[in-house]
Amino acid sequence: MDQLCFRRVFIVQCLLGITILSLSGLGFVESLGINYGQVGNNLPPPAKVLELLKSLRITKTRIYDTNPDILNAFAGSGVEIIVTVENAMLGTLMDPQQALNWVSTRIKPYVPATRITGIAVGNEVFTGDDMTLVSNLVPAMVSLQRALTQLGLQQYIQVSTPSSLAVLSNSYPPSAGTFTPELTTIMTQLLQFLSTTKAPFWINAYPYFAYKDSPSKISLDYALFNPNTGMVDPHTNMHYDNMLYAQVDAAIFAMARLGFGGIEVRVSETGWPSKGDADEVGATPQNAAIYNRNLLRRQLGGEGTPLRPKMRLEIYLFALFNEDMKPGPTSERNYGLYQPDGTMAYNVGLSTLSTSTNPSTSTSTSASTSTSSSSISLTSTATK
């Protein structure tokens, strides 16, 4: 194995928790982060979570609040954190004084020791039917940006909001990407804000949902980044060999249709559940392992999408832990790479990487199956 191949294999192993010796001088996957949800009654304390992230060599994470225990525990670690304003707070934070108070108490006391790099204002605000919440979004973002500027933090912290793919009325082919008509006005305001502040457009993109809804029409291999014939966009002649990149480019085309073609798109959430209900087709440990392994391969290569091949796509994997108190179907509680005790939720199966980075060895399943016994069993260096 040549030196470059070894370095890549080593980094993948670190990211996915193989117990190995720590070697100096190896880089990090700069475009990869992970979502650290806390909707569970059995999760490890923040200090232990930080140990786990360090063992995985992950330097970026996103939390869904401004939990002071986490912000304090991560001080001095160098881990970049995106914090979140809960949806219910948007109406309050429209008021500039309230926004200033919020930043003064929730953000300023922790920086620069804790590397807060982003504020996610709400989460998937456009997905629900609460139009008051939608109308409050951009004014709250403007107030928070002004507060950051007033406190001298605007150059370190970006303000954006994660949206689901439901904001698109059309995403196939990618060049036909279009925002839902009723969101045109508010989306234009949001994009104008992002363009002015040079903040990214965050999208929660899950090929799993598309496959689950139409397993007879969508190739599982296409959803999992496995080798497949893919699709060619008839309007651009761009070839797509995976659904995630097609979803991202659809969002870029949708923004361009509103006159904002230069905004960076980052994936604020993506993942694959390792367990689901009877009607949740494809939610298996093997498919989750394949999706995450293939996604990491792409991240190691510093890939961009076909539309922006030279711009490395930043992705936040969902999620670090299985969260046992999340409502909804079984899949919602089974997106984690790890169980709360620090053990892997499933066998990621990286044995093929020791000899090859060709993803053709992956085998997907649409029914519940166990992972291959020939795969490596992965454990973390910080499981206990």
Side-chain angles (χ1 to χ4, degrees), residues 25-278:
L26 292 177
F28 300 88
V29 183
E30 296 178 358
S31 56
L32 177 71
I34 196 161
N35 288 276
Y36 169 17
Q38 306 154 58
V39 189
N41 60 8
N42 54 358
L43 298 179
K48 292 296 183 183
V49 175
L50 178 59
E51 289 180 14
L52 178 59
L53 291 179
K54 286 183 175 180
S55 76
L56 303 179
R57 293 184 167 236
I58 289 179
T59 61
K60 297 180 180 182
T61 191
R62 174 185 169 214
I63 60 176
Y64 292 82
D65 53 19
T66 53
N67 187 324
D69 293 334
I70 294 176
L71 297 181
N72 279 320
F74 280 54
S77 67
V79 174
E80 299 178 13
I81 301 179
I82 296 172
V83 300
T84 302
V85 175
E86 296 88 341
N87 288 359
M89 286 292 296
L90 299 191
T92 300
L93 295 182
M94 291 173 60
D95 181 343
Q97 186 58 48
Q98 292 289 345
L100 180 60
N101 291 341
W102 189 91
V103 175
S104 297
T105 57
R106 304 288 189 98
I107 303 296
K108 193 174 187 299
Y110 304 100
V111 295
T114 301
R115 293 193 64 189
I116 300 174
T117 58
I119 299 175
V121 184
N123 188 53
E124 299 190 348
V125 171
F126 299 113
T127 302
D129 298 324
D130 188 344
M131 294 311 296
T132 299
L133 187 65
V134 171
S135 64
N136 291 344
L137 176 61
V138 175
M141 295 174 72
V142 170
S143 292
L144 287 167
Q145 183 68 34
R146 287 175 178 168
L148 290 171
T149 301
Q150 196 169 339
L151 296 171
L153 301 175
Q154 78 283 358
Q155 60 182 320
Y156 309 108
I157 301 173
Q158 294 180 314
V159 175
S160 189
T161 184
S163 298
S164 76
L165 278 175
V167 298
L168 300 181
S169 60
N170 191 11
S171 61
Y172 183 86
S175 62
T178 309
F179 287 114
T180 303
E182 53 266 32
L183 294 178
T184 299
T185 299
I186 184 66
M187 192 59 69
T188 300
Q189 295 171 2
L190 170 62
L191 296 177
Q192 182 62 65
F193 171 85
L194 299 179
S195 177
T196 300
T197 61
K198 295 180 172 55
F201 182 83
W202 286 335
I203 192 79
N204 295 344
Y206 288 87
Y208 164 72
F209 289 135
Y211 173 76
K212 177 181 73 71
D213 291 341
S214 301
S216 62
K217 297 180 180 179
I218 294 176
S219 163
L220 180 57
D221 285 330
Y222 181 64
L224 292 176
F225 294 93
N226 273 341
N228 65 96
T229 56
M231 59 84 65
V232 175
D233 189 311
H235 305 296
T236 64
N237 287 324
M238 292 179 183
H239 177 259
Y240 291 85
D241 65 357
N242 70 86
M243 181 178 290
L244 181 65
Y245 288 3
Q247 291 174 333
V248 170
D249 278 357
I252 296 174
F253 276 108
M255 291 192 298
R257 279 189 164 78
L258 295 183
F260 298 93
I263 296 174
E264 180 184 0
V265 173
R266 297 178 183 175
V267 179
S268 41
E269 289 182 14
T270 192
W272 197 284
S274 59
K275 186 178 180 181
D277 295 320

Side-chain angles (χ1 to χ4, degrees), residues 272-276 283-286 288 322 331 334-336 345-346:
W272 197 284
S274 59
K275 186 178 180 181
T284 70
Q286 186 175 12
N322 284 338
S331 62
N334 289 278
Y335 274 92
Y346 48 83

Side-chain angles (χ1 to χ4, degrees), residues 225 270 291-299 315 317:
F225 294 93
T270 192
Y291 184 81
N292 289 324
R293 179 174 70 247
N294 287 339
L295 177 62
L296 288 169
R297 279 196 179 101
R298 301 298 182 112
Q299 288 284 284
I315 294 174
L317 185 66

